[in-house]
Amino acid sequence: MKITDHIKNAKGKTLFSFELLPPIKGQSIQWIYDAIDPLLEFNPPFIDVTSLREDYIYKEQENGLLQKVSYRKRPGTIAICAAIIHKYKIDAVPHLICGGFTKEETENALIDLQFLGIDNVLALRGDARSADTAFIPTKGGHCYATDLIEHIKNHNEGKFLHEDVETFKSDFCIGVAGYPEKHFEAPNLNTDFKFLKKKVDMGAEFIVTQMFFDNQKYFDFVKKCRENDIHVPIIPGLKPISTLTQLNVLPKIFHIDLPEELTDALSYAKSNAEAKEIGTEAMIKQCKELMDFGVPVLHFYTMGKPEQTKKIARAIF
């Protein structure tokens, strides 16, 4: 079922969902089940599965020179989605990204997803590789999320890269990312909204936000979206603080602000356990306020660690 239909069928009730990070290669599928099973009691209508591009490592050769080698650290998103829908009968939402995939590989992924009966995809540009200072498109791949959206829409209309493909039409519901505190590469917030509006005009049917900790930023983001004639569902993405280092790491990596009230409370924490408890209580408060606002879904970035999200969900659902 499409995410837009799940939201419509909920008739104003806030739904619960979460995102999975594929495990490091070498792990078994049980790792995925262990990340999902504790959260089933909250009846998630869908589960997101992230996708990561290739990265590079340098291996020393016998002559002492370093060889640049491409590798993937985590297994395929499509296989995990197939496992989820087979075992749990829950809609899986794969992330499709530009980086690391050619247009042909993207089209093959769409054919596989359609074959599996997957109805939703999240179209993202993706991040830069760890060794790169900026995003570098894959040769023969897409450069921007808008290019990816166009590819998916063409697929929905039966238009393929090569004419020898037998014509059929898919019906993917397309989601995109939104940034309540602005994408860090956008020169200003208004420019960021112009790109978001373009994505929606091209066919995006729902938005999932970057994590945030100040609800007012989300409220302002929703208001600005509506003022810019963006009327699709806007799903807040949430991640509770779980360690002391996240106080500095999250703002650096995700370019977000932490509220002073939260940082003041965390400054008194003497251990990760205390920080996690503070983060949990702060997220419960944040979620209750979002539910009062009428958000369609509370979407948690669990990173494959379900216990903290389970404690939060039990307090609010």
Side-chain angles (χ1 to χ4, degrees), residues 43-93:
N43 300 313
F46 62 91
I47 298 170
D48 274 31
V49 183
T50 62
S51 183
L52 301 175
R53 71 180 300 176
E54 89 289 354
D55 214 325
Y56 291 111
I57 56 175
Y58 290 87
K59 291 187 175 182
E60 187 173 355
Q61 303 179 78
E62 290 183 3
N63 60 8
L65 296 177
L66 295 177
Q67 180 184 14
K68 190 178 182 181
V69 179
S70 175
Y71 82 107
R72 288 188 186 275
K73 188 185 293 185
R74 299 176 186 272
T77 298
I78 295 176
I80 293 172
C81 288
I84 289 172
I85 60 177
H86 175 73
K87 180 175 175 64
Y88 298 105
K89 307 300 186 288
I90 294 174
D91 284 315
V93 184

Side-chain angles (χ1 to χ4, degrees), residues 174-237:
I174 304 170
V176 294
Y179 298 85
E181 299 177 63
K182 184 183 80 65
H183 190 281
F184 74 98
E185 292 179 1
N188 54 65
L189 193 57
N190 285 334
T191 300
D192 208 20
F193 274 103
K194 288 179 183 178
F195 284 116
L196 183 59
K197 179 67 163 59
K198 183 178 180 181
K199 294 178 190 177
V200 172
D201 288 345
M202 291 180 68
E205 296 180 67
F206 65 95
I207 297 167
V208 182
T209 77
Q210 171 70 280
M211 71 175 73
F212 60 91
F213 292 87
D214 182 349
N215 281 345
Q216 190 58 51
K217 294 184 184 296
Y218 171 82
F219 300 151
D220 292 343
F221 178 75
V222 172
K223 182 174 183 289
K224 187 79 170 176
C225 281
R226 303 319 183 208
E227 290 173 352
N228 282 272
D229 200 28
I230 299 172
H231 297 291
V232 300
I234 302 172
I235 299 171

Side-chain angles (χ1 to χ4, degrees), residues 95-127:
H95 292 194
L96 291 180
I97 60 176
C98 299
F101 299 90
T102 64
K103 294 175 184 177
E104 283 76 14
E105 288 171 328
T106 296
E107 183 138 297
N108 289 338
L110 290 170
I111 291 170
D112 287 344
L113 294 172
Q114 190 272 341
F115 173 78
L116 289 169
I118 289 174
D119 297 318
N120 306 280
V121 294
L122 194 64
L124 309 166
R125 187 198 68 176
D127 298 325

Side-chain angles (χ1 to χ4, degrees), residues 27 40 78 150-151 183-184 199 217 239 243 314:
Q27 296 275 8
L40 292 178
I78 295 176
E150 183 178 19
H151 193 155
H183 190 281
F184 74 98
K199 294 178 190 177
K217 294 184 184 296
K239 185 189 185 310
T243 66
R314 277 189 170 173

